[in-house]
């Protein structure tokens, strides 16, 4: 009978500085159903501008924001 030996290694996630950061916003305003209009992925400044313009055009004020980055996993020392 063989026994596998698993060494427990702890890992940490660090943000990859070469990875592009992205934001997206989806309009969740609406009484019965969400508006659902989506900005797509863009940088933070553009995402804020997109939301402001959507609010100006529609009166909608509530959004679900998503932030994306890249992470590198390395063993903890
Ligand atoms: Zn909307």
């Amino acid at each position: 009978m063989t026994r596998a030996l698993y060494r427990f290694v702890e890992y940490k996630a660090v943000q990859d500085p070469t990875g592009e950061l992205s934001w997206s916003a989806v309009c969740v305003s609406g009484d019965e159903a969400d508006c659902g209009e989506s900005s797509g992925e863009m940088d933070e400044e553009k995402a804020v501008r997109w939301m402001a313009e959507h609010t100006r055009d529609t009166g909608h004020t509530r959004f679900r924001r998503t932030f994306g980055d890249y992470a590198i996993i390395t063993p903890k020392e």
Side-chain angles (χ1 to χ4, degrees):
M1 185 175 154
T2 55
R3 268 181 71 196
L5 178 66
Y6 296 102
R7 196 160 64 95
F8 184 71
V9 180
E10 282 192 273
Y11 292 90
K12 64 179 177 182
V14 294
Q15 190 175 72
D16 179 356
T18 66
E20 202 172 316
L21 307 182
S22 66
W23 283 259
S24 66
V26 175
C27 179
V28 294
S29 302
D31 293 330
E32 287 174 22
D34 292 346
C35 163
E37 194 152 319
S38 173
S39 68
E41 287 197 1
M42 49 183 61
D43 68 30
E44 184 177 23
E45 195 183 321
K46 283 183 185 154
V48 171
R49 194 180 317 138
W50 182 88
M51 288 185 281
E53 288 173 358
H54 187 73
T55 296
R56 181 198 63 204
D57 295 344
T58 63
H60 296 163
T61 55
R62 191 163 180 265
F63 299 87
R64 181 175 183 276
R65 297 191 299 179
T66 306
F67 166 72
D69 68 352
Y70 290 82
I72 305 287
I73 296 293
T74 58
K76 270 186 181 172
E77 288 157 31

